[in-house]
Amino acid sequence: MEVVTLGTIVRAPSIVRTETLFHDGAHGVAVLTLDDPHETHNTITPQLGAELTAALDAAEADPRVKAIVIRSGKKDSFLVGANLDYLQTIRFANDAEEVSLEVGKRFARIAEGGKPVVACVHGPALGGGFELALACTAAVASDDPKTVLGLPEVKLGLMPAANGLLRVADRAGLRVAIDVGLTGRSLKPQKALALGLVDEVVAAPIVLDAACRFALKLVTRPALRKHLPQRRAWMRHRGQPMARLRSMERVFVDKNPLGRMMLLRRARAEAEKETRGHYPAPGRMLDVLERFGKKGFRSAAELESRLFGELVVSETSHRLVELFFATTACKKDPGIESDERAKEKDVAPAAVERVSVIGAGLMGAGIACVSAQAGLTVRMKDTDDVALGRGLRYVKDVLDERAARSPSPTSALEVEQTFARLSGAIDYSGVSNADLVIEAVFEDIALKHEVIRDVEKLVKDTCIIASNTSALPITRIAEAAEHPERILGMHYFSPVQRMPLLEIVRTKHTHPRAVATAVAVGRRQGKNVIVVRDGVGFYTTRILMPYLSEAAQVLTEGVAIDTIDRALLDWGFPTGPLHLMDEAGIDVAAHVATEMHEAFGERLRAPAVFTVLMNDHRHGRKNGRGFYLYDRAVRGGRHGRQIAKRVDDTVYYALRTDPSTRPAALPARSLPHAKPMPEEISLRCTMALVNEALRCLDEGILRSARDGDVGAVFGIGFPPFRGGPFRYVDVLGAPEILRRTRSLEQRFGSRFEPAPLLVEMARKGKRFYG
Ligand code: NAD
C-alpha cells in the first residue's frame, strides 16, 4: 500500500489523532489513533468518547475517506476499558446508567455508520476496548502474546456496559457469552477468530496494514460487508470437528425458548453456587442475556444500562475496585522505605537470571515452575533422584495442564522452552552461579541451618538466600548465616503456580537491596508481593491461626464439622477452616498453634482439640485421616473429575472420648449436638482474624493497611467483596468492630482482647483509608 499522510488533526492535549492514508492515490482510509497522553493504557473517559465521536463524524463527512480504522497509539495496548477513577466518582445509579446509555449509543453509531470501521487490535482489548472492537464493522487483531480480548468487568463486580456481551451472544452464541461474561477470562486472538469475534489475525508488524486493507476490501466488495456474519460462521466452522454440533446448539438452544431457559437456569444455579449470593454481577448478566433471547438487542441493551448503573454504585463493586487499586499500587511499590532509599546507596534491585531451588517437594517444584515461567534459569536440588524426578515431573505436569487449558499453535513449543530452562541435581552443582537461592526443604530448623551453611559456602557474594518456611522466624534461620544481610523469607503459598501472593519477610539485618531484589523477582513471577517484618507467623500465618483455632474451638463445643465450614463459606471464604486444615495438614496447624502460643502467650493458646487430633494420628488429607473423607468421583468438574468429600464422623468419637474436648455441660450426649447460628460461628472466627491483623499493623509487622488487605485476600482467601480486614473495619466502623470484639471478650475471654490500635481508632473515630 502506498501511504501518503494527508493531515493530522491535533488538539492539545487530545486523545484521538486522525491521519488519512491513501491507497492507490484514490481510496482514503482515516486512521484514528487513540493515545491518552495522561495514561499508560488507553481507557474510556468522557473525553475519549467525545473525541472519538467527533473524529468519526469528521471521517464520515470527508468525501476523500472511504473507510475508517481505529487503532491505539500505545506500544502494546489497545484499550483496557472504562477509566476506574472516573467510574469511582459516580455516586448515583442513574448517572452510571446515563453513561452506559450514552456509550452504547455512540458504539451503535459506529456499527450502523455508512463507512466501514475496522478495529486494529494490538495488545489488550478489554472491557470497553473489546466492546469497541465488537461494535466496529470488523476487527483485525495481531497474533502477539500481548493481544488478548475479554470482558473482565465481573472481576470488579461490574458488567459490560456498551452492549459487548450482547454482541458476543449474537455472534458466538449464548453459551460463549455466558462463559466470557461470567468468568471474565480473556481470549487469545486465534480463539476469538475461531469464535467469529474478530475477522482476521495477522503478525503484529503488519496489523495496521492488514486492517487498512480489510477496511478497503469492505468498500470495494460491498458483498463482503453484507456477508460478514456468514463469513464469521464459516470461520467458526473451519477445522472445528464440533462445529456442526455447535451450529445445531445455536438452533436448538439460542433460538429455542425452552433450550435458552434450561441453559440460563443451569448457568444461574452454577453462579449462585459459586458466589453464594455475594457477587450480584453474574446474575445481572444472565438477566440481560435472558432479555436478549426473549425481546432482542434494544430491550436487552436498556436493561443492561440500568443494571450496570446499580452495579457501579454497589458496595461489592466498590470493594473490588479498591482492591484492584491496592494491587496496582503494590505493583509499583519497591518494597523498601523511602528513607532507606535516601540513606542507602545501593538499593536498586540486583539483576536476577539464575535461581537455585533447594528441595524439590510440593513447594520447591512450584517455585521452580513459576520461576522458569518467568524466564529465569532454574536449578532444582534434592537429596535423591526419586525426589528430584518427582519435582521435575510436577513442573512438567503443571506446564502441560496449562497448555491443555488454553491451547495455541505455539503452546507445545512454549512448554518445551520453559521446561528447558529447568535442570536438576542431587548435589549443589550449579549453585555457585545463582543470583538467588530459595530453600524449600522440610520445616526443620536444624536442616534449614545446615542448608544455609552449605549454600553460603558456595554462592557468590551478591547472591541472596531466601527461605520458604511457613512459620519459622527468619531471624532464627539467619542465625546460621555468616552474612545475615543476604537472608530473607520468600513465603509462597500452595499451590505456588495458582496462589497469587508472595509474602517477603525481612529481618532487621536484611539489606534493603535484598528486599528490593526479591520483590522484583516475585513480581516477575506474576505475584502480588507484600513485604512484612519478621515475627512468628509473619503476617498471613499470624492472622490465619487465630481464625483456624477459633473454628477448632467451636468444634469442641459440639458443633458439626460441616456446619462450621458452611458458616465461613457463606461468609465468603473459598474454603471452610476445617477443610483448609485438612488440606494444609492438621499437624502443621497444630505445630504453628503451639509456636504462636509460646510466642504470644495465653491470648493465643492452642485449643486442646489439636492434641486430641494428633493423638488420634489425624494429619489431614495427606494421611487420609482428617475432618473429611475424600472420594475420587469420576464425573463432574471442568476436566471430568471431581473430588467428593464427606464428614468423617469418627472425628466426633475421638473428641467425645477425650475429657479435654468433651463438652462439660453435656457429657452424656453425642457430638455434634450444638446448633449455634452460622452468624455466631463466622463472627467468632473472623473477629479473631481481624483483631490479629490490627495487632500486626500496630506492631509494625505490616507496613500498611493496604498490604494487610492484599495479603489477607490473596494469601488466605479473605472474601474480596469485603475488601480485606482493614477495609472491613473501615466499612463497619472501628466502634462497631470494638463493640463486637468486647462482647466476645466478655463471653470467651482474653483471646478476644481488642487490639490497642482498634481501641484507639474507635476512640478517635479514625479510619485506615481516606
Ligand atoms: P515437602 O516435604 O513436599 O518437600 C521437601 C523436600 O525437601 C523433599 O523433597 C525433601 O527430599 C527435600 N529435602 C530435604 N532435605 C534436603 C536437602 N538437604 N537438600 C535438598 N532437598 C532436601 O515439603 P513442602 O510442602 O514443599 O514444604 C517445604 C517448605 O515450604 C517447608 O519449610 C514448609 O513449611 C514451607 N511451606 C509449605 C507450604 C505448604 O502448603 N506445603 C506452604 C508454605 C510454605
Side-chain angles (χ1 to χ4, degrees):
M1 177 187 287
E2 184 200 335
V3 169
V4 182
T5 302
L6 181 75
T8 307
I9 307 163
V10 181
R11 278 186 307 274
S14 75
I15 297 174
V16 183
R17 253 185 354 253
T18 303
E19 299 167 81
T20 304
L21 311 179
F22 284 89
H23 181 54
D24 295 341
H27 299 303
V29 179
V31 176
L32 276 46
T33 304
L34 315 180
D35 195 354
D36 189 335
H38 306 296
E39 307 272 353
T40 11
H41 296 280
N42 291 314
T43 55
I44 296 185
T45 55
Q47 188 187 348
L48 182 138
E51 286 191 28
L52 182 59
T53 308
L56 283 164
D57 286 348
E60 273 289 344
D62 187 340
R64 294 163 306 176
V65 169
K66 305 291 180 231
I68 302 160
V69 165
I70 301 177
R71 65 141 176 188
S72 164
K74 302 292 178 200
K75 188 166 167 277
D76 287 317
S77 172
F78 181 65
L79 176 58
V80 294
N83 186 294
L84 294 176
D85 287 317
Y86 168 66
L87 270 195
Q88 288 283 79
T89 63
I90 299 179
R91 289 277 156 265
F92 301 105
N94 281 353
D95 294 341
E97 182 181 348
E98 282 297 316
V99 171
S100 163
L101 286 170
E102 183 58 35
V103 179
K105 256 188 247 157
R106 287 183 184 194
F107 281 14
R109 271 179 59 196
I110 302 176
E112 290 152 13
K115 294 177 184 174
V117 184
V118 173
C120 165
V121 179
H122 171 66
L126 300 174
F130 188 25
E131 292 184 282
L132 174 63
L134 288 165
C136 290
T137 321
V140 174
S142 78
D143 66 357
D144 194 274
K146 292 186 196 85
T147 302
V148 285
L149 305 101
L151 299 173
E153 288 86 347
V154 70
K155 296 179 186 169
L156 299 173
L158 299 170
M159 62 190 279
N163 315 145
L165 186 67
L166 303 177
R167 291 195 171 95
V168 171
D170 189 38
R171 286 205 208 165
L174 260 189
R175 190 185 292 279
V176 175
I178 292 172
D179 180 41
V180 169
L182 270 66
T183 62
R185 72 188 173 92
S186 300
L187 303 170
K188 289 184 180 172
Q190 288 293 351
K191 180 75 184 167
L193 181 70
L195 290 169
L197 299 173
V198 299
D199 298 279
E200 215 169 83
V201 175
V202 297
I206 59 162
V207 67
L208 176 61
D209 191 42
C212 291
R213 280 175 194 280
F214 200 96
L216 287 176
K217 248 197 288 181
L218 291 171
V219 177
T220 52
R221 289 165 47 196
L224 174 65
R225 186 172 181 185
K226 198 168 141 213
H227 292 119
L228 268 177
Q230 285 84 343
R231 186 178 184 271
R232 285 174 188 144
W234 179 78
M235 294 303 289
R236 279 203 304 273
H237 292 183
R238 218 173 41 150
Q240 303 267 335
M242 299 292 284
R244 217 152 263 298
L245 217 60
R246 269 200 231 135
S247 304
M248 277 160 62
E249 178 184 90
R250 294 201 64 185
V251 175
F252 290 112
V253 178
D254 289 24
K255 308 257 180 264
N256 174 333
L258 190 68
R260 268 199 320 265
M261 189 187 78
M262 282 168 61
L263 180 64
L264 288 165
R265 186 183 287 174
R266 215 175 114 198
R268 240 180 245 289
E270 273 175 24
E272 183 56 33
K273 194 169 144 214
E274 201 119 301
T275 64
R276 291 185 175 249
H278 294 303
Y279 298 87
R284 302 292 182 275
M285 276 189 254
L286 293 173
D287 292 344
V288 169
L289 289 173
E290 190 173 348
R291 175 78 70 92
F292 175 62
K294 278 187 189 157
K295 301 206 167 155
F297 192 97
R298 195 176 289 272
S299 172
E302 278 168 24
L303 180 67
E304 178 183 281
S305 294
R306 183 161 65 72
L307 298 179
F308 171 76
E310 288 171 14
L311 290 176
V312 167
V313 297
S314 68
E315 286 287 313
T316 305
S317 174
H318 279 173
R319 296 297 85 78
L320 295 177
V321 171
E322 286 154 3
L323 208 51
F324 174 78
F325 284 140
T327 52
T328 311
C330 270
K331 283 186 188 132
K332 293 179 189 151
D333 185 345
I336 52 175
E337 307 307 326
S338 44
D339 60 328
E340 282 179 321
R341 265 178 284 167
K343 255 194 283 166
E344 302 273 348
K345 272 182 268 127
D346 206 10
V347 293
V352 172
E353 285 311 322
R354 290 192 170 79
V355 176
S356 200
V357 180
I358 315 297
L362 179 69
M363 296 305 287
I367 297 166
C369 183
V370 295
S371 304
Q373 283 176 309
L376 297 163
T377 305
V378 188
R379 170 63 68 99
M380 193 158 56
K381 187 252 172 198
D382 209 298
T383 47
D384 59 69
D385 288 330
V386 176
L388 185 64
R390 212 180 298 127
L392 290 168
R393 179 80 253 163
Y394 180 92
V395 177
K396 184 69 172 42
D397 286 349
V398 170
L399 297 177
D400 284 344
E401 198 191 311
R402 232 187 109 160
R405 246 186 294 132
S406 58
S408 76
T410 54
S411 42
L413 181 66
E414 281 163 25
V415 169
E416 267 187 40
Q417 284 174 340
T418 308
F419 199 63
R421 283 194 283 274
L422 177 65
S423 60
I426 53 168
D427 55 23
Y428 282 114
S429 59
V431 170
S432 56
N433 292 326
D435 305 306
L436 168 68
V437 175
I438 306 174
E439 76 75 17
V441 298
F442 301 128
E443 188 80 338
D444 172 347
I445 188 74
L447 179 60
K448 304 247 182 212
H449 278 167
E450 188 188 314
V451 169
I452 298 281
R453 276 191 218 101
D454 289 348
V455 166
E456 222 186 6
K457 271 186 235 145
L458 299 169
V459 294
K460 50 191 179 189
D461 291 348
T462 50
C463 179
I464 293 158
I465 304 174
S467 170
N468 177 52
T469 172
S470 36
L472 293 170
I474 303 299
T475 311
R476 262 178 78 197
I477 292 177
E479 279 166 8
E482 258 182 55
H483 294 284
E485 68 278 6
R486 59 161 60 159
I487 311 283
L488 46 69
M490 286 177 86
H491 182 203
Y492 292 86
F493 296 76
S494 173
V496 182
Q497 67 280 8
R498 281 217 295 273
M499 291 297 282
L501 188 76
L502 168 62
E503 185 179 28
I504 288 179
V505 188
R506 63 182 298 179
T507 70
K508 59 176 186 291
H509 301 295
T510 313
H511 193 279
R513 188 171 205 215
V515 176
T517 305
V519 169
V521 170
R523 211 161 278 150
R524 198 166 155 190
Q525 292 166 335
K527 303 294 175 197
N528 291 314
V529 184
I530 60 167
V531 177
V532 304
R533 221 191 60 200
D534 191 26
V536 174
F538 322 130
Y539 168 62
T540 47
T541 310
R542 168 111 178 246
I543 59 168
L544 182 64
M545 221 41 241
Y547 164 82
L548 296 181
S549 293
E550 198 54 33
Q553 185 60 43
V554 175
L555 178 68
T556 59
E557 292 165 21
V559 182
I561 291 168
D562 47 348
T563 305
I564 299 171
D565 275 351
R566 209 174 316 114
L568 274 310
L569 284 171
D570 286 345
W571 203 77
F573 278 93
T575 312
L578 302 179
H579 181 201
L580 184 64
M581 273 194 260
D582 258 8
E583 296 290 340
I586 302 175
D587 55 334
V588 177
H591 175 72
V592 178
T594 312
E595 291 239 336
M596 301 257 300
H597 182 193
E598 279 167 19
F600 301 105
E602 194 53 29
R603 194 174 59 75
L604 294 186
R605 165 174 285 283
V609 65
F610 283 133
T611 317
V612 177
L613 293 168
M614 286 306 95
N615 291 341
D616 197 32
H617 308 293
R618 286 191 187 269
H619 292 188
R621 189 160 166 192
K622 59 188 165 196
N623 76 339
R625 287 180 64 74
F627 295 108
Y628 291 92
L629 296 168
Y630 299 87
D631 300 328
R632 257 181 199 284
V634 274
R635 289 164 60 78
R638 204 164 164 189
H639 301 291
R641 242 180 28 180
Q642 206 178 36
I643 310 296
K645 69 180 196 320
R646 61 200 151 86
V647 168
D648 183 354
D649 288 324
T650 60
V651 175
Y652 302 126
Y653 181 77
L655 298 179
R656 210 159 56 215
T657 47
D658 194 291
S660 66
T661 49
R662 189 172 59 210
L666 296 159
R669 296 274 296 273
S670 354
L671 285 166
H673 60 78
K675 290 197 169 37
M677 299 290 285
E679 293 78 15
E680 161 91 2
I681 301 170
S682 56
L683 177 76
R684 286 172 60 176
C685 296
T686 55
M687 280 300 119
L689 183 158
V690 170
N691 200 29
E692 205 58 35
L694 292 168
R695 286 178 188 275
C696 287
L697 184 61
D698 209 11
E699 293 168 19
I701 295 286
L702 280 173
R703 296 164 67 217
S704 63
R706 179 205 72 196
D707 281 4
D709 283 341
V710 169
V713 170
F714 296 103
I716 62 169
F718 192 92
F721 73 95
R722 297 189 193 272
F726 295 92
R727 186 67 75 174
Y728 185 60
V729 173
D730 271 4
V731 170
L732 264 74
E736 173 58 20
I737 298 287
L738 180 63
R739 189 191 65 71
R740 293 182 185 191
T741 320
R742 283 233 161 97
S743 133
L744 291 170
E745 185 189 17
Q746 277 164 12
R747 292 167 58 204
F748 301 105
S750 68
R751 65 179 188 273
F752 284 105
E753 183 192 340
L757 180 62
L758 176 60
V759 179
E760 188 195 324
M761 305 252 324
R763 192 164 48 81
K764 296 187 178 162
K766 282 191 352 195
R767 298 166 57 82
F768 292 109
Y769 294 93

